[in-house]
Amino acid sequence: MIWRKWLVIGWIGWLWVGCKGAPSSPPASDFAGAYLPLMLSPQSTPTPSPTPAPLRLALVADLPPELAQAAQDLADAQPQVFAISQSEVADVRLGVGAGQPLAQWVYAVAAPFATTADAITQAEVLAAWRGEGARMVLDGETAVTLTPLLGPPADSIAIVSPADLADALWQARPAITLLPFHRLTPELKVLAVDSASPLDAAFDAAAYPFVVDVGVMGSETAVTTLLSAWTGPPTNRDPAKLTTVALTGVTALVRGTAFQMEYNGVLYPGEAVAPILQAADIAHVSNEVSFSPDCPFPDPMGGTSFCSRESYFDLLLHLGVDVVELTGNHVNDWGTAVFAHTLDLYDAAGLAYFGGGRDAADAAQPALFTHNGNRIAFVGCNWVGPNYAWATAVSPGSRPCDDSFFAQIMQLKDEGYVVLATLQYQELYYYQPSAQQAVDFARVAAAGATAVSGSQGHHVQGFAFADGAFIHYGLGNLFFDQMEQMGTRQTLVDQYVVYDGRLLSVQLWSGLIENYARPREMTPAERQQLLLTLFQASGW
């Protein structure tokens, strides 16, 4: 086949010309299958993308220290994403008063607890900041943080460490301070500013002048990244961490008080004080007298063996009582069966009780509450008897004070409870505590009680601070008919504010008993005189 020979020779010749760079080539589609192996190139290794550098966070000097620490914690937890910048160069800046909202810090105006004033104006606080008017003491961190909001504090203002603030303020009396809400202590009294207080349940931060807004500034991407990862506190006043407790003095719905209830209605004694107890998250009464189905019509001039008519129980329900103290020395006046019946009434109404019970073991049980994350324990005992009032292994009554009481306080404290300890003590009819009373109450504080309260106090008494505890030797009568002297007519309701697991503040509601039964709110002059008397009796 000569033609085949020439065809092969021609094809080889054409291939040689193509390899030499012929001026034109046939369409690729004509020889795609033949040339595909020749067109493949070796696969190359992909170049890895560079790891992005961490976002640099700048913390301005006026940042509240808790928020600065939260930023540091975030950088420590996610070092590949965030780093604290030690220079002005940063991707994100945290500071006061500008940028995307990050947190809100509330500052309280406070004075030493031994202060009769309850309120102050914004103008007076600003004048004190400028070194005019009231004396002011500040901790250094607060002075720096509030400077963008208020300007630099006056040179005359004493600047101390946060740990020394309370002591320095007491030494400078009369004096005020501004401090972060969460750093309040019972030694300090919160002053309402133009009628607004951060202790109020209806507190409105938008209408309060001493609030610091902390923001984040930077590129949109950087700010979004930080906000999505932020785990720091959004505020230092979180309503979800607040619990209020109203602690009261003696309740004895008998004699002249009961007589007035019969003629003015069962709810008559609580007309003025009811809003205070009803507003509390946990409302306490120390009811010393049992309810009896056969208790006779009250004799206003009767003796000292007491019972209360069952209809009077409605007063406790109306007040919103949550927990009943049973340390009183009259619980068994009408017999142990009547006291047991009273316990049935409390159980049926869902009221907790402590300091007394169906037998010694029951009487020793604390009343435990958990509210907004706060664990609160009520414990109480009867220090003075009489013997027939005490519970035994087989009979109901109040709890005697013994070593187990102190051990229980220590255990509850170790378990994380705010421990409110109440004592039925000797009845003293003067404002100052006795020397032995001071020793005994201090012993309860040393065991670990957060607050120690004298439930025996028919006569209102003074205060003390010991081992970090707030001590109130006697709150006075809440409902009782002792009208003979001013000290037995005066009454206080201690309003405890518990925040994030600790006692933050104690506020005092003051009343004056009228008509043998009904405490009304004191006038400003009456209140000032009472507080002055109590502070003097306290050695302040």
Side-chain angles (χ1 to χ4, degrees):
M1 294 284 183
I2 296 175
W3 65 271
R4 291 182 179 177
K5 177 180 178 181
W6 287 108
L7 179 60
V8 171
I9 293 173
W11 182 82
I12 294 172
W14 179 86
L15 183 61
W16 179 83
V17 171
C19 293
K20 297 292 287 184
S24 62
S25 300
S29 60
D30 292 349
F31 299 96
Y35 280 92
L36 183 59
L38 301 176
M39 295 170 64
L40 291 175
S41 60
Q43 288 186 346
S44 59
T45 302
T47 303
S49 301
T51 302
L55 292 175
R56 296 162 296 180
L57 309 182
L59 313 178
V60 299
D62 53 26
L63 195 67
E66 292 83 2
L67 297 180
Q69 184 61 53
Q72 182 65 63
D73 292 343
L74 182 62
D76 292 342
Q78 302 184 46
Q80 73 283 4
V81 182
F82 303 103
I84 302 298
S85 174
Q86 304 300 328
S87 69
E88 292 295 317
V89 179
D91 301 297
V92 181
R93 186 177 302 276
L94 281 67
V96 172
Q100 289 288 327
L102 179 71
Q104 189 178 71
W105 238 234
V106 176
Y107 286 78
V109 180
F113 182 81
T115 297
T116 59
D118 297 309
I120 195 169
T121 67
Q122 179 183 352
E124 288 172 325
V125 178
L126 296 178
W129 185 272
R130 297 191 300 267
E132 306 164 5
R135 183 181 304 165
M136 178 172 277
V137 179
L138 295 171
D139 72 77
E141 294 172 354
T142 297
V144 170
T145 301
L146 290 182
T147 292
L149 181 69
L150 306 179
D155 293 338
S156 60
I157 291 177
I159 306 295
V160 300
S161 70
D164 295 331
L165 179 61
D167 287 343
L169 198 63
W170 274 75
Q171 293 171 10
R173 285 190 299 161
I176 64 170
T177 190
L178 277 158
L179 78 162
F181 173 80
H182 67 290
R183 289 195 202 164
L184 286 165
T185 65
E187 292 89 351
L188 303 180
K189 177 180 183 177
V190 176
L191 302 180
V193 180
D194 296 328
S195 300
S197 168
L199 296 179
D200 294 341
F203 175 72
D204 180 8
Y208 186 73
F210 303 114
V211 174
V212 168
D213 292 310
V214 177
V216 183
M217 295 158 283
S219 70
E220 182 177 352
T221 300
V223 169
T224 300
T225 301
L226 176 65
L227 292 178
S228 63
W230 183 255
T231 57
T235 180
N236 70 332
R237 188 200 176 277
D238 184 353
K241 296 181 179 181
L242 271 171
T243 299
T244 57
V245 180
L247 203 77
T248 64
V250 174
T251 286
L253 305 179
V254 297
R255 245 171 23 196
T257 301
F259 189 80
Q260 294 300 326
M261 294 172 72
E262 292 291 342
Y263 283 95
N264 293 294
V266 168
L267 306 185
Y268 172 73
E271 287 179 354
V273 75
I276 303 301
L277 299 181
Q278 292 165 351
D281 296 310
I282 304 172
H284 155 281
V285 294
S286 179
N287 187 33
E288 294 203 9
V289 180
S290 296
F291 295 97
S292 173
D294 59 355
C295 186
F297 191 87
D299 178 1
M301 305 300 292
T304 57
S305 183
F306 298 139
C307 68
S308 292
R309 306 185 91 182
E310 278 196 354
S311 59
Y312 303 165
F313 191 80
D314 287 346
L315 174 61
L316 303 187
L317 300 179
H318 173 70
L319 295 173
V321 170
D322 300 287
V323 60
V324 182
E325 179 183 346
L326 300 174
T327 63
N329 50 17
H330 291 281
V331 292
N332 280 334
D333 279 7
W334 222 246
T336 56
V338 169
F339 183 40
H341 171 71
T342 300
L343 297 178
D344 291 340
L345 294 178
Y346 293 145
D347 287 338
L351 302 185
Y353 56 82
F354 70 99
R358 299 181 185 279
D359 53 35
D362 187 41
Q365 294 302 308
L368 304 179
F369 292 83
T370 299
H371 178 269
N372 280 351
N374 298 307
R375 306 177 77 195
I376 299 171
F378 292 84
V379 295
C381 65
N382 181 331
W383 202 293
V384 295
N387 290 348
Y388 73 82
W390 284 330
T392 71
V394 295
S395 63
S398 58
R399 177 187 188 178
C401 294
D402 55 23
D403 290 342
S404 69
F405 179 67
F406 299 94
Q408 182 181 55
I409 291 172
M410 286 186 259
Q411 179 181 345
L412 289 168
K413 180 185 178 182
D414 290 343
E415 293 174 359
Y417 282 93
V418 171
V419 183
L420 307 182
T422 64
L423 303 178
Q424 189 72 208
Y425 200 74
Q426 287 180 317
E427 297 175 3
L428 305 173
Y429 287 85
Y430 35 83
Y431 294 101
Q432 66 272 23
S434 70
Q436 188 61 48
Q437 185 181 16
V439 170
D440 292 336
F441 279 53
R443 182 184 171 197
V444 179
T450 307
V452 186
S453 187
S455 299
Q456 83 296 329
H458 292 298
H459 189 292
V460 68
Q461 290 184 288
F463 315 93
F465 294 99
D467 287 296
F470 171 75
I471 297 175
H472 192 172
Y473 294 108
L475 283 71
N477 293 314
L478 178 64
F479 304 126
F480 199 33
D481 64 359
Q482 292 176 311
M483 297 284 289
E484 296 82 10
Q485 54 181 302
M486 183 60 70
T488 57
R489 294 181 59 202
Q490 295 163 326
T491 183
L492 291 172
V493 177
D494 291 354
Q495 298 169 281
Y496 296 151
V497 179
V498 179
Y499 183 79
D500 200 17
R502 70 180 187 87
L503 181 58
L504 195 75
S505 181
V506 180
Q507 301 288 290
L508 305 174
W509 182 88
S510 53
L512 189 67
I513 296 175
E514 292 183 326
N515 202 21
Y516 298 90
R518 177 185 176 274
R520 60 159 174 83
E521 187 169 10
M522 285 186 176
T523 67
E526 290 168 341
R527 176 177 172 83
Q528 183 178 40
Q529 184 57 56
L530 171 62
L531 293 180
L532 280 173
T533 300
L534 291 175
F535 296 153
Q536 291 171 359
S538 305
W540 298 335

